């Protein structure tokens, strides 16, 4: 199983980015796909998860949206109205049981991370 996260970059505050999580070896339609982010010196933070129902961290609710393309076996994280505090390395992860948890230890597979930098 491999997860490939991509789409990060540098954007000004108020801008948008769309992250992608492409999977091989696991059908994402049957899994829960979560996004987490981490900045140096801090713990990995839950951002959102798409499974039977979507769930978002309060800090991103209303700005970030998850969606999936089963044909491409890819999950997207659309990030709008970005803020400097959204700057982090973003990771996607898959839980093959589909639970949709905000707890990182429940996830079986992880992508390599993609850097998002929001300038003020």
């Amino acid at each position: 199983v491999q997860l490939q996260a991509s789409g990060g970059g540098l954007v000004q505050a108020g801008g948008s980015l769309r992250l992608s999580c492409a999977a091989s070896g696991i059908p994402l339609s049957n899994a829960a796909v979560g996004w987490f982010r981490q900045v140096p010196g801090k713990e990995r933070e839950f951002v959102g998860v798409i499974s039977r129902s979507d769930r978002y961290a309060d800090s991103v609710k209303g700005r970030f949206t998850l969606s999936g393309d089963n044909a491409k076996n890819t999950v997207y994280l659309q990030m709008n109205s970005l803020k400097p505090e959204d700057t982090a390395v973003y990771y996607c992860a898959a839980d093959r049981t589909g639970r949709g948890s905000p707890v990182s230890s429940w996830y079986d597979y992880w992508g390599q991370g993609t850097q998002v930098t929001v300038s003020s």
Side-chain angles (χ1 to χ4, degrees), residues 20-87:
S20 299
C21 179
S24 60
I26 181 173
L28 295 186
S29 58
N30 297 335
V33 179
W35 285 89
F36 295 79
R37 63 189 183 187
Q38 190 170 23
V39 297
K42 292 189 176 181
E43 292 187 358
R44 196 165 291 188
E45 175 189 27
F46 170 74
V47 174
V49 58
I50 182 170
S51 60
R52 299 174 187 88
S53 61
D54 300 349
R55 182 174 181 176
Y56 299 92
D58 288 343
S59 59
V60 306
K61 203 172 294 183
R63 300 188 297 121
F64 291 11
T65 304
L66 286 158
S67 62
D69 185 331
N70 291 338
K72 295 183 178 180
N73 208 29
T74 299
V75 166
Y76 302 100
L77 178 66
Q78 178 67 42
M79 307 187 297
N80 299 328
S81 302
L82 282 162
K83 304 175 181 179
E85 51 263 44
D86 295 318
T87 295

